[in-house]
Amino acid sequence: MVVLSFGLAFLSVLSSTVKASPVPSLETRQTITTLSASQISAFKPFAFFASAAYCDPSRTLKWDCGTNCDANSGFLPVASGGDGGSEQFWYVGYDPSLDTVVVAHQGTNTSSFLAELVDADFFLSSLDPSLFPGISSSIETHSGFADSQAKSAPDILNAVQGALTTHDTTHVTITGHSLGAALSLLDAVYLPLHLPESTTFKTVVYGLPRVGNQDFADYVDAHVTNLNHINNMKDPIPIVPGRSLGFHHPSGEVHIMENNQWVSCPGQDNTSDECIVGDVPNIFVGDEDNHDGPYDGVEMNSGC
């Protein structure tokens, strides 16, 4: 945890050296809207799925992981993997009540030094063309996140292909928290390149750090459909790596404010004080305890 906190502090200092002005575009001037109770509750199954990804693969494969599994009791696991170190835990399965294949990635395991090193490796690099065919080399991502995603990508793709066929569905939902959110966003770019065009995607992630450069954020906005990245109160993780280092968030932010209102923040890195970038200008005004939640009552990395 010390390594992670030091890395976040270093990145925050770098990001604060250049204070970006609000982008004067129509998109960022759109009204910030408050989510209804029904809109908030619709996210809750995915919060439990994201939290379950912290559980050992042997348990998620049996769907016997305590509170998180009980919350989505009809889920049918297909595959799981990872070692919680160099390769984060992951699992794939099918939820009949939602009629979707679910892909979930474990977040940062603070007991694993290797996982912390993945977070500390924040240099931008082009995506592997063998995994991301046709993607421009100008689209760059956090090299540590990309290296970690590459380890599980082929196994996850194979499991998703099998689950789509077995359960006769065309829907895929991708979720994760923290580092798992970053891996999920990369999967949201990767999987559509290898699955039939008829496949539809939803991506719901929590505590997402910035994953790539401006070209990456623009690509996500243009090609990743139905994306929400949910930030809790004054969580400092979503403001790193800094924009001064060339990192940018895509659109789709939902921010849980201190009064527990959930708001939709239009545009990329919306600087309104109702959104995470404006509310948490640097990690020194952030609260790392907010990172694990609660997200509508769900605490990440608990209940296994």
Side-chain angles (χ1 to χ4, degrees):
M1 193 67 180
V2 172
V3 173
L4 177 60
S5 297
F6 177 80
L8 290 173
F10 174 66
L11 290 173
S12 178
V13 169
L14 285 176
S15 68
S16 65
T17 60
V18 177
K19 184 174 177 61
S21 299
V23 179
S25 68
L26 176 62
E27 187 173 31
T28 56
R29 289 199 301 266
Q30 291 174 357
T31 303
I32 293 169
T33 57
T34 302
L35 274 63
S36 67
S38 61
Q39 288 174 311
I40 294 169
S41 64
F43 288 119
K44 196 160 189 173
F46 309 114
F48 282 115
F49 280 131
S51 187
Y54 282 92
C55 302
D56 190 272
S58 64
R59 298 190 66 183
T60 53
L61 189 58
K62 296 184 294 184
W63 208 239
D64 177 22
C65 59
T67 302
N68 295 310
C69 289
D70 293 344
N72 293 304
S73 59
F75 183 72
L76 304 172
V78 170
S80 64
D83 58 16
S86 62
E87 181 183 352
Q88 300 301 103
F89 296 157
W90 58 267
Y91 66 85
V92 174
Y94 175 71
D95 188 301
S97 65
L98 300 170
D99 185 29
T100 186
V101 173
V102 175
V103 180
H105 284 276
Q106 176 196 19
T108 305
N109 180 355
T110 54
S111 67
S112 169
F113 182 64
L114 285 174
E116 291 179 345
L117 287 179
V118 170
D119 274 345
D121 179 5
F122 56 86
F123 299 101
L124 286 162
S125 60
S126 299
L127 290 165
D128 182 347
S130 66
L131 292 177
F132 297 87
I135 298 290
S136 169
S137 61
S138 69
I139 295 172
E140 297 181 326
T141 62
H142 179 295
S143 55
F145 296 162
D147 289 346
S148 184
Q149 187 267 347
K151 291 179 172 67
S152 60
D155 290 336
I156 286 176
L157 175 60
N158 183 62
V160 170
Q161 288 171 325
L164 288 170
T165 300
T166 298
H167 297 288
D168 191 26
T169 187
T170 59
H171 307 301
V172 176
T173 301
I174 308 165
T175 192
H177 168 251
S178 193
L179 173 56
L183 303 180
S184 296
L185 185 57
L186 287 167
D187 270 0
V189 173
Y190 164 74
L191 289 172
L193 299 173
H194 300 275
L195 293 173
E197 290 185 8
S198 59
T199 311
T200 63
F201 294 89
K202 177 197 293 283
T203 304
V204 182
V205 293
Y206 300 85
L208 174 72
R210 293 190 182 98
V211 174
N213 66 358
Q214 182 68 70
D215 284 352
F216 175 77
D218 291 344
Y219 181 92
V220 169
D221 280 4
H223 298 280
V224 175
T225 57
N226 204 353
L227 166 66
N228 287 112
H229 47 107
I230 301 172
N231 301 317
N232 186 46
M233 299 188 184
K234 289 189 176 292
D235 180 5
I237 304 299
I239 69 166
V240 294
R243 287 175 291 169
S244 65
L245 297 171
F247 287 83
H248 295 270
H249 269 307
S251 302
E253 179 190 357
V254 172
H255 185 213
I256 306 170
M257 299 193 299
E258 282 76 17
N259 63 4
N260 285 310
Q261 266 193 335
W262 291 45
V263 296
S264 177
C265 297
Q268 300 175 354
D269 281 310
N270 194 312
T271 54
S272 164
D273 60 10
E274 293 182 280
C275 304
I276 197 75
V277 173
D279 194 29
V280 189
N282 60 71
I283 68 159
F284 303 109
V285 299
D287 184 348
E288 197 172 337
D289 288 342
N290 291 159
H291 185 53
D292 285 344
Y295 300 89
D296 193 20
V298 181
E299 290 278 352
M300 297 294 167
N301 195 14
S302 64
C304 288

